[in-house]
Amino acid sequence: MNDSIVVAMTTYYEQIEDTRFNLACEAIEMAARGTYRENCSDFVVVVDDSHNPDVKNLFRKQGARVFHQTVGGFGSAKRQSAFIAREIAIQTNIDII
C-alpha cells in the first residue's frame, strides 16, 4: 500500500491579493510538502479558471500540478479535478478509495 494521497481542488481568483488566494497557496504548499501527514509524498491537483496567469504560476511554485479548466461551471471543474487525480493515482500506484 502506498501512503501517498492526491489532493484535488478547483479555484478561480481574479487577483492574487485576494485573502482566499493566499489561504489556497498555504494549503497547497502544506499538502505538496506532505506536512499534513508525516513520511508521505502527496500530489496536489488544481483545476483553475483564473484569467490572471500569476495565479497558476504561484500555485505551481507552491508545488501544485495546475490545469486550466476546460469546461465552464463548478461541477465541471470538480469532475475534471477528480478525473486528473484518479489518473495520477493510477500512474503512481496510489490506492483509490
Side-chain angles (χ1 to χ4, degrees):
M1 180 175 146
N2 189 330
D3 288 337
S4 297
I5 62 171
V6 180
V7 177
M9 59 191 294
T10 62
T11 61
Y12 174 83
Y13 299 102
E14 291 186 15
Q15 36 187 319
I16 59 174
E17 293 80 14
D18 188 325
T19 300
R20 293 179 313 113
F21 171 77
N22 292 319
L23 293 171
C25 283
E26 287 178 25
I28 290 168
E29 183 179 18
M30 289 176 68
R33 309 241 185 297
T35 54
Y36 283 130
R37 300 171 307 122
E38 292 183 25
N39 302 320
C40 68
S41 172
D42 298 336
F43 299 90
V44 181
V45 171
V46 177
V47 172
D48 181 72
D49 196 29
S50 303
H51 300 290
N52 183 343
D54 292 339
V55 170
K56 290 176 181 59
N57 292 336
L58 289 169
F59 283 159
R60 285 186 183 103
K61 184 177 177 185
Q62 299 303 321
R65 296 179 186 197
V66 182
F67 301 86
H68 183 71
Q69 184 174 337
T70 56
V71 178
F74 185 66
S76 295
K78 293 295 248 184
R79 284 188 292 280
Q80 183 181 350
S81 67
F83 176 80
I84 294 168
R86 179 181 172 275
E87 291 299 308
I88 290 172
I90 290 169
Q91 292 171 6
T92 57
N93 199 33
I94 296 174
D95 293 333
I96 300 172
I97 55 172

